[in-house]
Amino acid sequence: MTAKRNVVIIGSGPAGLTAAVYTARANLEPVVLEGEPSSTSDQPGGQLMLTTEVENFPGFPEGIMGPDLMTRMRSQAERFGADIRTQKASRVDLTVHPFEIWVDGPDAPEPTFRADSVIVATGAQSLMLGLPNEARLLGFGVSTCATCDGFFFRDRDIAVIGGGDSAMEEAIFLTKFARTVRIIHRRDSLRASHIMAERAQANEKIRFIWNSTVSDVIGKTSVERLEVQNLQSGKTSTLEVTGLFVAIGHRPNTDLFKGQLDLGPDGYLRTQPGSSRTNIDGVFACGDVQDSIYRQAITAAGSGCMAAIDTERWLEAFHHTPTSH
C-alpha cells in the first residue's frame, strides 16, 4: 500500500540528516531513505562514513571521526521524529504530484510513497581507476576507505592515488598503521589545500611519486605490487606494496533523476541561485549532489538546512494544512 507523506528525503549524509532535523522539528514528519550498506552510490551516512578524523566541523575542537559525527546527526534527527529507513530509492516520478517514490524495485506496480515534497541529498561517490584487477581485488588490498581498512595494513607498505585533500587525509591517517605510504599523483604538484599538502609532505612515512599513474594492480588473491607508469617518459616500474587506496575524486549520484531534474555539464543537479529549488516545483536539492565547488561536510549541512526551510515554506504556501498520517 502506498503511504502519503509531507516530505521524503532521499539520502542521509550531512545534508540529508540536517534537512531531516529541521523538517522533523517543523512537525513535517519526514521519511528519510538513507540508502543501503551494500550500495556504492548511496551509502547510509554518505561520504563521511568513509572519512577519517574531521577537524573542521564546528563544535568539535578536538576533532571527531566521520562515522561518529554521522551517528550523532542520525540520532538527533530521530530524536525529533524523523522516520529513517535503511532503504534505497529505486525509482522516482517527479512529473506527477504528489511525487512518487519506489523502494521495492523500479518495476513494482505501485510506488512505496507519494510525497508532497522531495529533498534530494544523494551526495556523490568515489571514482575508481577502471583497471580490471582493481575491481577484482577490491576488499583484498584495494580500498577507498582508510578508516574502514587501515587497521589491516599495520607495518605494511601501501600506496594512495590522488592529489587532493581526500588523498592527503587518507595518506596521513594510514601512517598510523603502515610502514610506508607512497602517494602517486599524475601531476608534479598537489591539488590539496596548503595545510593538508604541508602536513603530508612533513610526514616522514610519506613519499611522493610524481607525474605517474597506476597501470595495473598485480596479485592473485590480494594486492602484491603495482605497475606504475611515468606519464612523461612512458616507462613502467614496479612498486612493491600490498595495499592500494584510491582517492581520485567523486561523481554526483544523479542517475535516479536524469531526464526529470536539470543537470549541469558536470552531472551535478542545478538549483536556483540563492536557494535549493530545482526546476520542478516542490523538489529541492542539497549537499554534494548539487555542489561541485565546496564539497565540505559543513557546507552540505548548511545546504540541508536551506532545503528544509525552503520545503517548509513551500508546503505552507501551497498546502496550508500539511498532510497528516
Side-chain angles (χ1 to χ4, degrees):
M1 181 178 177
T2 301
K4 179 71 184 303
R5 293 292 187 266
N6 296 308
V7 55
V8 170
I9 300 170
I10 304 176
S12 61
L17 290 179
T18 300
V21 168
Y22 273 77
T23 52
R25 291 186 75 249
N27 295 321
L28 295 176
E29 301 173 304
V31 169
V32 181
L33 302 179
E34 67 172 353
E36 297 174 346
S38 60
S39 173
T40 58
S41 62
D42 58 355
Q43 165 77 30
Q47 294 179 60
L48 282 188
M49 296 300 290
L50 309 176
T51 302
T52 57
E53 189 172 18
V54 178
E55 295 182 319
N56 54 5
F57 199 93
F60 298 94
E62 305 302 323
I64 185 172
M65 298 300 287
D68 293 339
L69 177 59
M70 297 319 301
T71 297
R72 292 191 182 196
M73 293 181 72
R74 191 182 195 277
S75 297
Q76 188 175 10
E78 288 183 313
R79 173 193 168 197
F80 293 116
D83 181 2
I84 301 178
R85 305 193 181 193
T86 308
Q87 295 176 310
K88 177 181 178 180
S90 57
R91 175 186 166 197
V92 297
D93 187 350
L94 305 178
T95 65
V96 298
H97 194 270
F99 307 114
E100 297 181 341
I101 302 102
W102 284 257
V103 299
D104 298 323
D107 299 325
E110 292 291 328
T112 310
F113 300 102
R114 287 190 173 91
D116 289 332
S117 60
V118 170
I119 296 176
V120 178
T122 47
Q125 61 180 296
S126 299
L127 295 176
M128 302 298 287
L129 298 172
L131 303 173
N133 288 333
E134 175 191 41
R136 180 175 64 83
L137 294 174
L138 187 63
F140 298 92
V142 176
S143 175
T144 61
C145 176
T147 307
C148 308
D149 302 327
F151 176 80
F152 301 106
F153 293 86
R154 188 177 297 277
D155 297 323
R156 293 163 67 177
D157 300 312
I158 60 178
V160 173
I161 301 179
D165 279 352
S166 295
M168 299 307 106
E169 289 175 5
E170 296 272 281
I172 292 168
F173 177 78
L174 290 167
T175 60
K176 298 179 180 180
F177 307 99
R179 182 168 51 213
T180 63
V181 177
R182 299 290 190 271
I183 296 178
I184 304 171
H185 187 42
R186 60 187 305 112
R187 299 179 179 85
D188 59 3
S189 61
L190 297 171
R191 293 181 291 103
S193 61
H194 177 73
I195 187 171
M196 292 305 301
E198 194 174 61
R199 287 182 184 179
Q201 291 168 336
N203 193 301
E204 61 182 11
K205 285 189 176 183
I206 295 176
R207 297 291 183 271
F208 291 84
I209 301 176
W210 303 105
N211 299 306
S212 300
T213 187
V214 174
S215 55
D216 201 1
V217 185
I218 308 299
K220 292 183 178 180
T221 58
S222 63
V223 174
E224 298 172 6
R225 60 188 180 278
L226 305 177
E227 283 189 3
V228 179
Q229 184 180 31
N230 185 288
L231 296 177
Q232 292 182 332
S233 66
K235 293 183 179 180
T236 299
S237 60
T238 299
L239 182 63
E240 300 292 335
V241 296
T242 55
L244 174 64
F245 289 78
V246 183
I248 58 174
H250 305 87
R251 64 177 292 270
N253 297 318
T254 54
D255 290 348
L256 191 65
F257 312 102
K258 287 181 177 178
Q260 300 186 67
L261 296 179
D262 284 348
L263 307 180
D266 51 7
Y268 287 81
L269 289 182
R270 282 177 167 160
T271 52
Q272 298 176 19
S275 82
S276 62
R277 292 175 178 267
T278 68
N279 59 297
I280 295 181
D281 212 21
V283 179
F284 306 86
C286 55
D288 285 6
V289 74
Q290 56 84 50
D291 176 15
S292 62
I293 299 175
Y294 301 104
R295 294 180 293 190
Q296 300 294 309
I298 188 62
T299 54
S303 69
C305 170
M306 291 171 57
I309 293 174
D310 287 344
T311 300
E312 181 183 2
R313 290 174 177 173
W314 186 86
L315 288 171
E316 288 176 351
F318 289 90
H319 306 278
H320 300 293
T321 304
T323 303
S324 180
H325 67 275

